[in-house]
């Protein structure tokens, strides 16, 4: 018995084998984007064969947007391909059921089956990573949507007149301020209005705001730099608005938070959310915590999907 989980990320592909108890073995590779879109399922198939030649079923959690009906990734900003087929090539290769959902949908499913959300029927997962996204289980139902892209909370509008333009082209989306990719741009905007030349952040970036990285910003904040702490607080105030919107829209009992930005900086991400969320909320506040599944949460969700698919 070997069920296979696949996590298709912006830069890496991760594949794991496992069962109802959890993940048994996992491998990771940088995605090969040099040979066209068809190479991606071929790479996944080669990785699966490193773990088993006879999987029982395959589940995948993928960067979006996805086209659920055609089992493809479509128009993703992360790859230079219009369509990346996933389900059909793997089904042909192995002759077993293959299911795909977007990565945050997989995340909330993983939390529900293997993590802090076991037995909880109203559950939400938020990822703060290169991008920002969410997944929801409401009344025990996994929310998927017509194409598989329900719960795109990273693209909730925080401020319609904002100069912060999201990767999707719209002004003022949550992701435009708070994703790993966009925090440096938001920091630059804030620094334009303040005196920061004597800060540790200025030393770390050589006085050039355009050289600021998300990691640099959180490092300076961890060392107590007031400029960086002020930016972290501004990021946190917007995260609190986003999380409050989630509470008001989905009424979850538990929200878990993951993604590399949150997992690397749990206190700096969680403290302002906890401080500011209540002032934007009408529904009863849920418990909010960092996911215990860490960076494997999408793999866990993909594994749960494979177990359902059989
Ligand atoms: Zn957007």
């Amino acid at each position: 018995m070997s069920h296979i989980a696949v996590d298709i990320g912006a830069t890496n592909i991760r594949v794991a084998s496992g069962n109802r108890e959890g993940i048994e073995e996992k491998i990771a590779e940088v995605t090969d984007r040099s040979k066209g879109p068809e190479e991606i399922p071929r790479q996944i198939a080669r990785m699966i064969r490193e773990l088993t030649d006879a999987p029982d079923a395959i589940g995948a959690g993928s960067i979006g947007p996805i086209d659920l009906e055609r089992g493809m990734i479509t128009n993703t900003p992360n790859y230079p391909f219009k369509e990346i087929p996933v389900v059909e090539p793997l089904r042909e290769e192995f002759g077993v059921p293959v299911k795909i959902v977007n990565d945050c949908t997989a995340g909330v499913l993983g939390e529900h089956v293997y993590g802090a959300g076991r037995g909880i029927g109203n559950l939400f997962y938020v990822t703060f990573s290169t991008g920002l996204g969410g997944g929801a289980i409401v009344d025990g139902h996994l929310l998927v949507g017509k194409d598989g892209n329900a719960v795109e909370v990273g693209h909730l509008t925080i401020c319609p007149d904002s100069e912060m333009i999201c990767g999707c082209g719209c002004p003022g989306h949550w992701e435009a301020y708070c994703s790993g990719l966009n925090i440096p741009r938001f920091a630059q905007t804030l620094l334009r209005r303040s005196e920061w030349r004597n800060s540790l952040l200025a030393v770390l970036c050589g006085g050039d705001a355009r050289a600021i990285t998300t990691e640099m910003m959180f490092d300076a904040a961890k060392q107590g730099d007031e400029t960086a702490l002020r930016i972290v607080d501004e990021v946190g105030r917007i995260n609190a608005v986003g999380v409050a919107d989630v509470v008001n829209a989905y009424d979850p009992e538990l929200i878990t938070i993951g993604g590399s930005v949150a997992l690397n900086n749990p206190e700096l991400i969680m403290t302002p959310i906890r401080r500011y969320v209540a002032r934007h909320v009408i529904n009863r506040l849920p418990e909010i915590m960092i996911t215990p599944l860490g960076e494997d949460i999408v793999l866990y969700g993909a594994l749960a999907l494979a177990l359902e698919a059989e």
Side-chain angles (χ1 to χ4, degrees), residues 12-208:
N12 296 304
I13 295 171
R14 306 169 75 221
V15 176
S17 59
N19 53 39
R20 295 207 177 272
E21 274 68 60
I23 290 171
E24 286 175 329
E25 208 180 339
K26 61 184 175 184
I27 51 177
E29 286 182 10
V30 173
T31 312
D32 180 358
R33 52 180 76 206
S34 68
K35 302 190 189 94
E38 285 78 19
E39 183 59 21
I40 291 175
R42 279 199 287 269
Q43 184 179 9
I44 294 169
R46 278 198 304 275
M47 290 175 73
I48 291 172
R49 287 200 187 281
E50 281 184 40
L51 300 179
T52 176
D53 276 325
D56 293 298
I58 299 167
S62 171
I63 47 161
I66 61 172
D67 181 333
L68 205 58
E69 197 164 323
R70 297 163 70 217
M72 290 181 169
I73 305 165
T74 57
N75 300 311
T76 178
N78 299 290
Y79 289 98
F81 311 126
K82 196 168 161 29
E83 293 182 332
I84 303 171
V86 177
V87 170
E88 213 39 58
L90 293 177
R91 192 182 282 151
E92 277 172 21
E93 175 82 17
F94 294 101
V96 297
V98 181
K99 274 187 151 184
I100 189 170
V101 293
N102 88 31
D103 46 9
C104 292
T105 305
V108 77
L109 183 61
E111 197 73 86
H112 187 59
V113 175
Y114 293 102
R118 272 175 286 188
I120 294 179
N122 290 288
L123 177 68
F124 203 94
Y125 171 68
V126 185
T127 181
F128 295 100
S129 184
T130 311
L132 200 165
I137 290 176
V138 178
D139 300 332
H141 299 290
L142 182 67
L143 301 190
V144 175
K146 66 186 188 314
D147 296 321
N149 304 309
V151 202
E152 277 283 9
V153 292
H155 304 280
L156 286 174
T157 301
I158 300 289
C159 173
D161 305 317
S162 175
E163 63 182 296
M164 302 303 303
I165 306 299
C166 189
C168 73
C170 299
H173 283 177
W174 184 6
E175 177 173 311
Y177 301 87
C178 299
S179 72
L181 195 66
N182 290 325
I183 285 173
R185 283 199 311 133
F186 184 36
Q188 288 162 28
T189 309
L190 294 169
L191 290 173
R192 254 188 265 141
R193 298 181 217 124
S194 68
E195 181 45 61
W196 64 288
R197 294 291 152 191
N198 295 321
S199 67
L200 173 61
L201 187 60
V203 174
L204 292 176
C205 72
D208 181 359

Side-chain angles (χ1 to χ4, degrees), residues 110-306:
E111 197 73 86
H112 187 59
V113 175
Y114 293 102
R118 272 175 286 188
I120 294 179
N122 290 288
L123 177 68
F124 203 94
Y125 171 68
V126 185
T127 181
F128 295 100
S129 184
T130 311
L132 200 165
I137 290 176
V138 178
D139 300 332
H141 299 290
L142 182 67
L143 301 190
V144 175
K146 66 186 188 314
D147 296 321
N149 304 309
V151 202
E152 277 283 9
V153 292
H155 304 280
L156 286 174
T157 301
I158 300 289
C159 173
D161 305 317
S162 175
E163 63 182 296
M164 302 303 303
I165 306 299
C166 189
C168 73
C170 299
H173 283 177
W174 184 6
E175 177 173 311
Y177 301 87
C178 299
S179 72
L181 195 66
N182 290 325
I183 285 173
R185 283 199 311 133
F186 184 36
Q188 288 162 28
T189 309
L190 294 169
L191 290 173
R192 254 188 265 141
R193 298 181 217 124
S194 68
E195 181 45 61
W196 64 288
R197 294 291 152 191
N198 295 321
S199 67
L200 173 61
L201 187 60
V203 174
L204 292 176
C205 72
D208 181 359
R210 289 166 303 180
I212 292 172
T213 64
T214 297
E215 195 184 357
M216 192 186 287
M217 230 267 309
F218 281 104
D219 281 350
K222 280 174 191 162
Q223 294 179 56
D225 180 52
E226 276 183 29
T227 298
L229 283 168
R230 210 173 61 245
I231 296 166
V232 165
D233 193 62
E234 290 293 332
V235 168
R237 286 157 67 98
I238 289 167
N239 282 338
V241 171
V243 169
D245 287 348
V246 162
V247 174
N248 291 335
Y250 299 98
D251 199 11
E253 197 169 321
L254 170 68
I255 297 177
T256 67
I257 292 180
S260 57
V261 174
L263 295 173
N264 292 334
N265 311 286
E267 288 308 314
L268 292 171
I269 290 292
M270 297 299 285
T271 302
I273 291 175
R274 292 205 171 103
R275 184 177 300 148
Y276 300 120
V277 70
R279 64 170 73 161
H280 307 289
V281 158
I282 179 167
N283 288 340
R284 182 167 57 83
L285 272 177
E287 189 182 348
I288 305 172
M289 63 187 280
I290 294 282
T291 174
L293 299 178
E295 62 175 12
D296 288 335
I297 188 165
V298 175
L299 276 179
Y300 276 106
L303 184 58
L305 202 63

